[in-house]
Amino acid sequence: MGDDTLREEQAISRATDHLVQVYAGTHSTEHVRAVMQAARKRFDGFPIRDFVPILVERIAHGELAAEARADEVVDIEVPETADDVPDSPEIHSPENDRPSPQPSSLIRSKGFLSLVAAAVVVAAAVVVVVNVSQDDPPPPPPLTIVRGVIGSEKKAFFEDPRVQQALAGQGLKVEVESAGSRQIATSINLDRYDFAFPSSAPAGESIQRTRHVSTKYTPFSSPMAIATFQPIVDVLTKAGVVKKGPVPTFSVDRYLGLVTSGTKWAQLSRNSAYPVDKNVLVSTTDPRTSNSAAMYLATAGYVANGNAVVHGTTAEKSVLPLMTKLFTSQGYTDNTSEGPFNEYLTVGMGPTPMVWIYEAQYVDAAARGRLKPGMVLMYPSPTVLSQHTLVPLTPTGDRIGRLLSTDPELQGLAAEHGLRSGDATRFAKVAADHNVPVPKDLIDVVDIPSYDTLEHLLDGVAKSYG
């Protein structure tokens, strides 16, 4: 049975169960099923099947409603003999002296009048039924629930009432749980989900391997960026790490030089804005669970490897000590990108002067009025592009992937949440409307290592945590 046929069968089954409940007081389950089957046969041979379940339910609903109304019509008893005609009191008048009509003629006249009255009532009932079936369309069938596990940076998108309404228009209700993208790929039981939606191609590739799924969708993307504050930009500009411009850029090479030497903020020249005695570090998520940390490692590893994608055992061993230092020097790190970015938004520059994030998080926060004066978005040079990869695990999960990739309304709403989608114009307008300078064309973007290489590096860093 193909996916389309299976979906039609499931929709017909849900519609039948719905009508069984609606007409439980007037019709048997068997009768409702028979009416549904008869209505469905009308569409045998039709090539387009998407709307067949809705039309079948509508036809069956109208027929069952008509039957229910007809059963409610009050029966009028038609006299069959003269004795059935009620006696009326005698009143003496000249007309009483006239000959009485024969019983047979009396029966015919009384019976005729009764039949006329019954016909009028039935006709009225039929008119009511027709009006009800035309003016009061049946309620839509219940929505199909689709469950997914997603990277936390997409949580706001799926919780948007406009997104939920657009999906409901397709007959779907999506319920999501968020987790670190690497967690999704390595440790979460995916058996109870219809789709997995991590934030990178390597995580999606891992899921495809373990679940033996050949299909994937990449409806959204987001370059990695750094959320910081204007005083930090000024300090790092003097230190030669940041280059100002319409979009500030952060030199990963010069930054790694500061990390290698163990430079502290207070040691930077002319630093009166943030003279603290702690290492110059970008705050990230936990590399053991989160995709954004893996993207940070991919970027830093590329630069540390002489501006080349890390590949092979020799290159892995060469860059691993510095990669380990980038993470272990931070102390506690959160499992998902939502944690450090929320701290950035609410606490300020003190604990998190620089946070490694998805560009989409910053644009979405701007659109929702969560940014404060002095907050700045800068782009690492080079950066990597995070491809949000949806892996369908069931036919309904596949339908979500296709909708997110092709539906203009959903693509536009994704842009409003800062996600780069097929609607590039909408994304640019959202960023401009909320005064977020973003590069129109991403040029300084490098490739991510293969899944196996990235896993080797992440496992090596994880061992340093003990």
Side-chain angles (χ1 to χ4, degrees):
M1 182 181 294
D3 291 347
D4 293 339
T5 303
L6 177 60
R7 284 195 294 271
E8 182 178 319
E9 291 289 344
Q10 291 172 341
I12 290 288
S13 177
R14 288 193 298 271
T16 302
D17 293 341
H18 174 68
L19 291 182
V20 167
Q21 294 178 0
V22 171
Y23 292 101
T26 57
H27 296 79
S28 67
T29 300
E30 292 74 15
H31 181 65
V32 173
R33 294 188 185 280
V35 173
M36 281 288 289
Q37 290 174 2
R40 188 180 184 182
K41 286 183 179 179
R42 302 186 189 186
F43 298 92
D44 286 349
F46 278 59
I48 299 176
R49 311 299 303 180
D50 288 349
F51 299 99
V52 166
I54 297 175
L55 297 173
V56 168
E57 185 186 23
R58 191 176 295 272
I59 293 170
H61 183 75
E63 293 179 2
L64 293 168
E67 293 174 2
R69 292 285 182 177
D71 289 343
E72 292 175 3
V73 174
V74 178
D75 292 330
I76 301 178
E77 185 177 354
V78 180
E80 296 182 357
T81 66
D83 294 336
D84 293 329
V85 180
D87 294 333
S88 57
E90 288 189 3
I91 301 176
H92 183 74
S93 69
E95 295 180 354
N96 288 104
D97 296 332
R98 297 176 183 173
S100 299
Q102 294 297 317
S104 60
S105 62
L106 178 61
I107 293 171
R108 285 194 297 271
S109 62
K110 293 283 188 178
F112 174 76
L113 293 175
S114 298
L115 289 172
V116 169
V120 169
V121 173
V122 171
V126 171
V127 170
V128 170
V129 169
V130 171
N131 287 336
V132 168
S133 63
Q134 291 178 349
D135 297 338
D136 299 325
L143 299 176
T144 299
I145 295 177
V146 191
R147 294 181 173 85
V149 57
I150 63 171
S152 62
E153 69 291 330
K154 295 181 286 289
K155 184 178 179 182
F157 169 77
F158 281 103
E159 290 180 345
D160 188 333
R162 297 171 300 171
V163 173
Q164 295 174 353
Q165 184 176 1
L167 290 169
Q170 302 288 341
L172 302 170
K173 179 182 180 182
V174 177
E175 298 179 352
V176 296
E177 297 176 13
S178 59
S181 292
R182 192 161 182 251
Q183 275 183 305
I184 298 173
T186 59
S187 60
I188 287 181
N189 183 0
L190 299 178
D191 290 342
R192 59 196 183 94
Y193 298 107
D194 297 293
F195 66 91
F197 202 178
S199 305
S200 74
E205 177 188 340
S206 173
I207 296 168
Q208 286 183 278
R209 284 186 185 182
T210 56
R211 305 292 297 191
H212 306 290
V213 177
S214 60
T215 305
K216 68 177 181 179
Y217 299 92
T218 54
F220 313 137
S221 65
S222 182
M224 304 310 299
I226 298 172
T228 187
F229 302 86
Q230 190 60 53
I232 299 298
V233 172
D234 295 337
V235 169
L236 292 178
T237 300
K238 296 172 186 175
V241 177
V242 171
K243 181 180 180 181
K244 288 189 175 181
V247 179
T249 56
F250 176 91
S251 171
V252 176
D253 182 45
R254 291 182 177 272
Y255 163 67
L256 292 182
L258 296 179
V259 174
T260 301
S261 63
T263 303
K264 299 182 183 297
W265 285 101
Q267 295 174 329
L268 295 177
S269 63
R270 294 179 292 168
N271 176 14
S272 59
Y274 193 67
V276 298
D277 190 31
K278 62 181 184 180
N279 292 335
V280 177
L281 283 172
V282 175
S283 298
T284 71
T285 50
D286 191 326
R288 294 167 292 183
T289 58
S290 174
N291 173 70
S292 62
M295 297 298 98
Y296 177 64
L297 186 151
T299 305
Y302 178 92
V303 175
N305 194 43
N307 292 324
V309 176
V310 178
H311 177 71
T313 304
T314 301
E316 291 171 13
K317 290 181 178 180
S318 174
V319 303
L320 187 57
L322 180 54
M323 300 302 101
T324 298
K325 187 174 183 178
L326 289 173
F327 292 104
T328 56
S329 299
Q330 295 181 52
Y332 172 78
T333 50
D334 211 306
N335 286 338
T336 69
S337 58
E338 186 178 22
F341 186 60
N342 281 337
E343 185 176 40
Y344 165 83
L345 292 173
T346 57
V347 180
M349 188 169 63
T352 52
M354 297 187 293
V355 183
W356 185 263
I357 64 168
Y358 298 96
E359 173 195 66
Q361 290 177 282
Y362 194 93
V363 176
D364 178 61
R368 293 195 284 164
R370 299 186 66 195
L371 298 184
K372 298 174 183 176
M375 291 181 168
V376 178
L377 183 67
M378 59 185 178
Y379 289 80
S381 176
T383 188
V384 293
L385 191 64
S386 183
Q387 298 278 4
H388 297 262
T389 304
L390 188 150
V391 180
L393 306 173
T394 67
T396 50
D398 184 79
R399 188 177 175 196
I400 291 295
R402 283 188 284 112
L403 283 172
L404 294 178
S405 301
T406 60
D407 185 84
E409 182 178 6
L410 290 170
Q411 293 257 304
L413 290 171
E416 292 195 22
H417 283 275
L419 294 161
R420 294 184 183 238
S421 65
D423 197 342
T425 302
R426 182 82 164 267
F427 170 81
K429 185 177 186 306
V430 170
D433 287 347
H434 297 93
N435 301 313
V436 181
V438 298
K440 180 180 179 181
D441 298 312
L442 295 167
I443 299 175
D444 196 5
V445 178
V446 298
D447 291 330
I448 299 171
S450 69
Y451 173 77
D452 290 335
T453 297
L454 200 55
E455 283 298 299
H456 291 162
L457 291 173
L458 290 169
D459 288 340
V461 172
K463 289 178 181 177
S464 66
Y465 282 89

